[in-house]
DNA sequence: AATTTTCGTGGAAGCGCTTCCAAAAATTCC
DNA sequence: GGAATTTTTGGAAGCGCTTCCACGAAAATT
């Protein structure tokens, strides 16, 4: 049996209250007593039982991250930043992957009750309306990341503007027949990116063509997959002379599929069709994909910081913070004329990050 | 205040023992009573307090995964499999990223004490000798993944054989000047992969050349990075006529860096230098990299299953299970003669998985 | 020197559960 | 119909801690 606070108290000839105070850095313990307690605690390898602590103090020192089941780089990078902060504050990170959207509500109802966790990060999932409504007070602080609800702190990416910037980039390159290769329109990012795309075209007074607007209908990962990109690009390529000269693809992963479809068909990028993605996952750098960078690490950091603030002070007004993706120009959207070609006919892969504001 | 077991008991006009029994699926509760309790519990949104439960029952329903701080695809895929199993068994997954190797021991000492978690997965980190020694009984079940120690269940990849298979693949393609682009030799996988490489050459009676053996000295991620691959490949390319015709790269991520270095220099792959990586991360498929696939998902699954077994029965003998990586042949090791070239001069990216036993 | 204030400390109560034992209720048996 | 079983049930004790109140000793004040 591991030693309890009583064992330490007895050995150190003090009361349990004193031992407790030592381990909670309570100021009113004399230096000698403190050292004596620490000495024995150390010798006996004593560690306060976190559950007993949680039960007695109503603080758990752990925060819960609820993420969609599919783990992509997007979440990893956010969680990595989260972990870093939590670790230095001595908090535990509990992970809940949600497999089915219907489970979200039950999960919330279960974990949102005081005493389970000190706070909760809710990533990329739709906050059920019904739940948000009945979520009044006396509840655990919740911060949303990559999803929005007026009643909670929300940290999201400006998908509309990002998509618009991406599209404008293609326009600025001289393209006029521009397509969009979108994910499943069920998902909010897909809707917003489509919206941004359309607004950019409208602003540039480029007429929209229905055949240049394609989206996935797949349910898996809301269509943000390599396969969906591949399939939709094949459809684009089948358009023959009506096919676009540039395409805004709503995620890097889809773009990689699209690129593969192009390679197989012998359509060159960017010569025949230029491409721009969204996300800037690691892969994008490797394949030289122009894309919109999402500041995942920053989002994670700010979200936890906000969560901590809210844990200190319940009554903060919800804030809604938005992150503007940055344009990262790489090979797939290079201007053909501006290319450097070396003796072997290959080109260096370069990355140009363009800061937008 | 959330309702407690007492509130439910009062409403349902039963004793707290009965409520407890209902929530623990104890058989000796009559159907009507059970339904009545459940009815009120539901109405009042009652959820047993996990910490109180843990304290009273000495089961926590959570397992801890200790991972190196740097989060790579390797861990993600393993953890994803772990999560899937835990979720369906109603267990929580607690994540501890270890930032500094020196922290490992303290972390173990702290969490390995009964009552904190029910079990622990220890990924890719070196189990401190000193700790393993004093870790006798009355401790939490621990299972190691991607690392080995005789006193614990260990699930590891056969790096030596994997590296040997990779090297033999290159040999079978007719290559004789074969290099190895390795990570930091401080790390076990790097050492083992070097060993497998050497043994394959020896078996084929190919003399080893010192200049074809290169490794990273970087500390970050033990040298398993894009940058290290890039840098070392530059060194290979600087060898001029003495440069290899094929290289075994000890990870996909390094291989992607190596490929970039080749592209920049105008050295073609596989025409001038063939490449084989290790891991089969998603990226490998996208860039058409031949590689050794590590069965990460399978490892994760089996490791948790073993952990569960051990949680049921303390006294199991440690087992040591080993996974053989599979050769996945893609573009970077194609035989030049066997290439299909289509009219535009591009080739389809194909994947051939070769099962080895 | 007597009084007040401060500091350090001990330990009871209570956090919300599980588990056990004893007792009540229902069922079976003779 | 009553005793013997079996099935349900109630609730005290205890899990390991925090927190608060009370108390004695030391320091400061008068």
């Amino acid at each position: 049996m591991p030693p309890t606070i009583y064992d330490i108290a007895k050995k150190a000839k003090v009361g349990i209250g004193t031992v407790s105070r030592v381990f909670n850095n309570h100021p009113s313990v004399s230096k000698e007593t403190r050292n004596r307690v620490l000495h024995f605690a150390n010798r006996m390898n004593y560690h306060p039982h976190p559950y007993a602590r949680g039960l007695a103090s109503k603080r758990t020192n752990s925060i819960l991250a609820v993420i969609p089941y599919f783990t992509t780089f997007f979440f990893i990078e956010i969680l990595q930043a989260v972990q870093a902060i939590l670790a230095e504050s001595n908090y535990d990170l509990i992970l809940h992957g949600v497999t089915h959207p219907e489970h979200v509500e039950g999960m919330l109802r279960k974990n949102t009750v005081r005493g389970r966790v000190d706070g909760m990060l809710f990533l990329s999932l739709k906050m059920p309306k019904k739940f948000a409504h009945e979520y009044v007070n006396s509840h655990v602080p919740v911060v949303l990341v990559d999803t929005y609800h007026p009643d909670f702190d929300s940290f999201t990416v400006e998908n509309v503007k990002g998509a618009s910037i991406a599209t404008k980039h293609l326009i600025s390159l001289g393209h006029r027949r521009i397509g969009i290769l979108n994910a499943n329109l069920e998902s909010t990012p897909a809707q917003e990116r489509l919206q941004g795309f359309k607004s950019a075209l409208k602003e540039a007074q480029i007429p929209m063509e229905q055949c240049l607007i394609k989206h996935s209908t797949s349910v898996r990962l809301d269509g943000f997959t390599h396969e969906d990109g591949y399939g939709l690009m094949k459809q684009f390529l089948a358009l023959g002379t009506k096919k676009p000269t540039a395409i805004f693809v709503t995620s890097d992963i889809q773009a990689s599929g699209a690129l593969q479809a192009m390679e197989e068909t012998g359509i060159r990028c960017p010569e025949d069709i230029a491409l721009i993605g969204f996300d800037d996952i690691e892969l994008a750098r490797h394949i030289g994909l122009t894309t919109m960078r999402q500041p995942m690490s920053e989002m994670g950091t700010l979200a936890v910081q906000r969560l901590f603030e809210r844990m200190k002070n319940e009554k903060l007004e919800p804030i809604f913070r938005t992150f503007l993706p940055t344009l990262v120009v790489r090979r797939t959207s290079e201007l053909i004329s501006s290319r450097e070609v070396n003796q072997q006919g290959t080109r260096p892969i370069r990355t140009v990050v363009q800061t937008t504001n």
Side-chain angles (χ1 to χ4, degrees), chain A residues 334-340:
Chain A
E334 269 178 1
L335 261 187
I336 321 295
S337 54
S338 77
R339 287 270 203 75
E340 306 155 31

Side-chain angles (χ1 to χ4, degrees), chain A residues 128-261:
Chain A
K129 278 211 190 72
K130 199 169 134 210
F131 175 82
H133 182 68
E134 73 186 52
Y135 174 99
V136 260
N137 295 317
S138 79
H139 275 305
V140 162
V142 174
V143 167
L144 312 188
V145 182
D146 188 40
T147 178
Y148 170 77
H149 192 286
D151 297 349
F152 300 89
D153 294 317
S154 311
F155 292 79
T156 67
V157 164
E158 293 206 41
N159 281 307
V160 180
K161 279 199 193 159
S164 161
I165 294 171
T167 312
K168 284 179 185 160
H169 170 64
L170 297 176
I171 296 174
S172 76
L173 258 30
H175 294 285
R176 286 300 173 269
R177 288 193 64 76
I178 303 177
I180 178 170
L181 193 165
N182 207 340
N184 192 325
L185 285 176
E186 293 282 310
S187 80
T188 315
Q191 291 162 17
E192 295 177 343
R193 289 171 199 177
L194 174 59
Q195 189 188 332
F197 170 77
K198 286 184 174 173
S199 81
L201 288 192
K202 182 174 258 174
E203 204 176 301
Q205 305 194 355
I206 299 177
M208 248 172 341
E209 277 184 57
Q210 219 35 251
C211 69
L212 297 184
I213 300 184
K214 298 198 183 294
H215 63 88
S216 160
T217 53
S218 143
V219 180
R220 177 162 166 263
L221 303 193
D222 283 333
F224 287 105
T225 69
H226 184 86
E227 289 70 28
D228 285 286
Y230 179 89
L232 291 173
M233 182 51 106
K234 285 276 180 178
Q235 294 182 23
F236 273 119
L237 298 178
L239 291 176
T241 54
K242 292 187 66 179
K243 71 176 184 291
T245 64
I247 301 179
F248 165 45
V249 186
T250 52
S251 72
D252 290 352
I253 199 73
Q254 290 168 288
S256 78
L259 272 172
Q260 184 181 329

Side-chain angles (χ1 to χ4, degrees), chain A residues 48-60 62 92 94 115-116:
Chain A
H49 193 300
Y51 281 20
R53 244 183 167 165
L55 190 57
S57 70
K58 290 154 178 324
R59 278 178 281 101
T60 65
S62 59
D92 278 347
I94 302 182
R116 276 60 178 164

Side-chain angles (χ1 to χ4, degrees), chain A residues 94-109:
Chain A
I94 302 182
L95 229 49
H96 265 199
V98 175
T99 32
H100 296 294
E102 316 90 76
H103 293 175
V104 171
E105 199 167 332
M107 194 248 82
L108 282 168
R109 223 174 283 289

